[in-house]
Amino acid sequence: MLPKEETYIGKYGMLRKTYLKNYRKGMYASLMLSGKLNSHLSEIDRTAKERIEQITAKLLQSSPAPDKATDPMGWTGHMNNLRHSAEESVLAELIYN
């Protein structure tokens, strides 16, 4: 019996797990049998969050948001668009590959 790892796995880790289960069965089984699945998923989750923050910051530099005080809805929409773009990039780069 393998020791049970107690690791938090967030949204991106769970997306990665689903992807591996459905499309990379060999890799999933290998990680599972070696007891490294949870640490892999946790690492993917942490890395994905960091990359999204980095990409969002870069996008914000190249495309500044409207003033939050004078245009709160415009600011929110702009930030959501930047975050969505960053997330799309990270999903392709880390999760579904």
Side-chain angles (χ1 to χ4, degrees), residues 12 16 19 40 43-52 88-97:
Y12 303 105
R16 176 70 172 169
Y19 173 75
H40 171 76
E43 178 64 22
I44 289 286
D45 191 67
R46 187 186 61 73
T47 306
K49 287 176 184 170
E50 285 174 5
R51 291 282 299 134
I52 286 172
E88 218 171 79
S89 163
V90 167
L91 290 175
E93 178 187 314
L94 283 174
I95 311 298
Y96 304 128
N97 117 24

Side-chain angles (χ1 to χ4, degrees), residues 34-84:
S34 68
K36 294 179 183 166
L37 180 63
N38 282 348
S39 59
H40 171 76
L41 297 176
S42 179
E43 178 64 22
I44 289 286
D45 191 67
R46 187 186 61 73
T47 306
K49 287 176 184 170
E50 285 174 5
R51 291 282 299 134
I52 286 172
E53 290 304 315
Q54 290 169 351
I55 294 169
T56 302
K58 274 186 190 163
L59 290 172
L60 194 53
Q61 283 177 343
S62 63
S63 173
D67 183 45
K68 190 177 184 178
T70 57
D71 186 9
M73 292 304 286
W75 181 86
T76 303
H78 186 79
M79 294 305 288
N80 283 342
N81 286 338
L82 295 184
R83 188 151 186 90
H84 180 75

